[in-house]
Amino acid sequence: IPEAQDIALLALLYPRGEVREFVITTFEQLIDTIVLSPISLNRLQAIRDWYPLDYHAQFNRWIKQQRKKGVIFQAEKNTPKIKIYATEVDGTGTQGFYLWVQQKKHQRLCGLLVKLGSGIKDVWLTPEMTAKDIAHSFAQINDGTVTFREVDTDYLLLIVNHFLMVTLQQGGMPDLQFLQIEELIGLHFRPQSIDVAVLLEKLCVQITPFTPESTQEAFKRSKSWPKNKKFTESWYLENANVDKLVNRCSNIVEGVKICDADKAMSDVFDYELEVHRDAWCFHFLWMALWMQAGGRRKNEKIGVDCLLIAYAIHHGISLREIPIMNEICRQTVNNSIETMNERRTHLT
């Protein structure tokens, strides 16, 4: 049954590695006897790029065998009109993408969630909807709890390709919905890590002036972000190690738990923030890319400031010297004090 072959091909995206190995072995045995559809040949080529390089020669051979049987690639559809929105990067290193896809009378809303250290966390897409229903759905998503910006396809590809690589490095695999979104929007995602050092150098040399004084000015401006930039509200850490450090700096005085906040902040800097300084360097580079995606807005300095902060962290400056990192540390300690009881991580 031709349809069964096309469906079976999608098992190459199965989340468990041992199942994918079984699928590869099975296809190797059957590829001479089956004829794939044009859409499956396209998918085989797309999925090839999500497998390690060791498998590419095998996938290429399968494609060549199908081409000899007369199978042609399905012609690419006209690229639909797409509006791409991305949320801010939160304190856990998570960003959401929302793609409003408009194709003649049919419209769909798609979503991608990426997370530092995890890769692509979630993918979804709606059925075809009317423009009115799409606008209503998007209004519910954009409810003011997060900051959205419209971004371009270059930014989407840069970030998704990076986190696709993270997914693959951890033995994961994109799912069917990821493939569907790729086919729907006419873009191809290929795993490609962001080279932080190279990208920082490339972007920072474009800053005028790029001087120690401009970096200090960026530091000073960053101190006020928690007061007037909503996107920093989630810039704090919440984990068991933070709670442990905060508890070590706390004592019971007349039945009330009192925390030495200064000591707690010092410990959080030493044993949590500095330990993960590379992640914070990436965080600010990522924020800079987000702020500048689709064109820098008039008089907006936050993107450049984030870039200068990332550059300073990359070149070894103590995080204590950066005002926004002090605010992040303070918010982390305060959050731990206020919520650890609720999260049942309060040590007695």
Side-chain angles (χ1 to χ4, degrees), residues 95-306:
Q95 183 173 61
F97 287 92
Y98 297 90
L99 286 66
W100 187 337
V101 184
Q102 304 172 38
Q103 205 167 25
K104 294 183 179 179
K105 295 181 180 180
H106 306 302
Q107 304 196 17
R108 301 179 80 170
L109 193 62
C110 311
L112 292 158
L113 189 71
V114 298
K115 184 174 182 180
L116 196 66
S118 300
I120 298 168
K121 290 286 291 181
D122 190 29
V123 182
W124 55 266
L125 63 165
T126 67
E128 292 179 352
M129 302 169 69
T130 65
K132 182 179 179 181
D133 289 339
I134 288 278
H136 177 70
S137 296
F138 191 78
Q140 290 181 312
I141 296 170
N142 190 14
D143 60 1
T145 57
V146 294
T147 304
F148 282 84
R149 289 176 71 98
E150 187 168 357
V151 298
D152 52 27
T153 54
D154 287 343
Y155 178 78
L156 175 71
L157 286 168
L158 179 68
I159 300 301
V160 174
N161 286 347
H162 174 83
F163 284 97
L164 174 58
M165 177 62 87
V166 174
T167 295
L168 300 178
Q169 288 174 336
Q170 296 183 348
M173 179 63 61
D175 60 17
L176 177 58
Q177 285 73 30
F178 187 82
L179 179 63
Q180 287 178 306
I181 289 178
E182 180 179 277
E183 293 175 349
L184 180 65
I185 64 178
L187 296 175
H188 186 40
F189 298 112
R190 292 180 173 88
Q192 179 65 57
S193 296
I194 292 174
D195 189 321
V196 172
V198 170
L199 189 54
L200 277 175
E201 293 294 336
K202 176 183 176 181
L203 295 176
C204 285
V205 295
Q206 300 174 29
I207 298 174
T208 304
F210 180 38
T211 63
E213 291 74 22
S214 60
T215 299
Q216 288 302 316
E217 290 172 5
F219 287 178
K220 291 176 183 178
R221 285 191 292 267
S222 77
K223 186 175 183 179
S224 65
W225 291 352
K227 299 175 184 177
N228 54 37
K229 301 299 178 185
K230 188 177 180 63
F231 59 75
T232 65
E233 289 182 357
S234 65
W235 286 10
Y236 60 85
L237 299 177
E238 185 177 88
N239 59 51
N241 187 49
V242 169
D243 291 340
K244 182 179 179 181
L245 295 171
V246 171
N247 267 292
R248 286 178 177 175
C249 301
S250 303
N251 293 294
I252 303 294
V253 179
E254 297 181 355
V256 178
K257 189 144 191 172
I258 304 297
C259 176
D260 184 341
D262 291 339
K263 179 63 167 66
M265 284 184 61
S266 179
D267 286 355
V268 169
F269 262 122
D270 288 340
Y271 304 113
E272 185 64 36
L273 297 179
E274 284 287 356
V275 172
H276 299 110
R277 62 181 294 117
D278 287 349
W280 285 106
C281 176
F282 189 87
H283 173 93
F284 285 105
L285 173 59
W286 189 359
M287 278 294 298
L289 295 168
W290 174 67
M291 294 296 298
Q292 298 177 350
R296 181 178 168 187
R297 300 178 186 179
K298 188 177 180 180
N299 298 324
E300 189 172 67
K301 296 182 178 180
I302 297 175
V304 172
D305 290 348
C306 284

Side-chain angles (χ1 to χ4, degrees), residues 45 48 55-65:
Q45 187 176 53
R48 174 200 61 193
Y55 291 85
H56 286 199
Q58 186 175 21
F59 275 68
N60 289 336
R61 179 163 45 79
W62 292 351
I63 293 170
K64 186 175 182 179
Q65 287 174 288

Side-chain angles (χ1 to χ4, degrees), residues 10-144:
L10 298 176
L12 288 167
L13 299 176
Y14 200 85
R16 286 169 52 189
E18 59 269 29
V19 175
R20 296 198 298 270
E21 287 293 336
F22 175 78
V23 175
I24 289 172
T25 301
T26 303
F27 260 92
E28 181 65 31
Q29 296 171 350
L30 298 177
I31 198 69
D32 283 332
T33 63
I34 63 176
V35 178
L36 296 176
S37 66
I39 183 62
S40 285
L41 194 63
N42 285 35
R43 289 171 175 171
L44 184 61
Q45 187 176 53
I47 293 170
R48 174 200 61 193
D49 292 337
W50 303 341
Y51 270 72
L53 286 174
D54 293 346
Y55 291 85
H56 286 199
Q58 186 175 21
F59 275 68
N60 289 336
R61 179 163 45 79
W62 292 351
I63 293 170
K64 186 175 182 179
Q65 287 174 288
Q66 291 297 306
R67 296 282 284 147
K68 286 181 177 179
K69 291 175 180 286
V71 182
I72 60 174
F73 290 105
Q74 179 169 286
E76 294 185 2
K77 300 177 182 178
N78 293 331
T79 303
K81 182 180 178 182
I82 311 170
K83 287 186 177 180
I84 308 169
Y85 300 89
T87 68
E88 81 271 15
V89 182
D90 72 12
T92 66
T94 302
Q95 183 173 61
F97 287 92
Y98 297 90
L99 286 66
W100 187 337
V101 184
Q102 304 172 38
Q103 205 167 25
K104 294 183 179 179
K105 295 181 180 180
H106 306 302
Q107 304 196 17
R108 301 179 80 170
L109 193 62
C110 311
L112 292 158
L113 189 71
V114 298
K115 184 174 182 180
L116 196 66
S118 300
I120 298 168
K121 290 286 291 181
D122 190 29
V123 182
W124 55 266
L125 63 165
T126 67
E128 292 179 352
M129 302 169 69
T130 65
K132 182 179 179 181
D133 289 339
I134 288 278
H136 177 70
S137 296
F138 191 78
Q140 290 181 312
I141 296 170
N142 190 14
D143 60 1

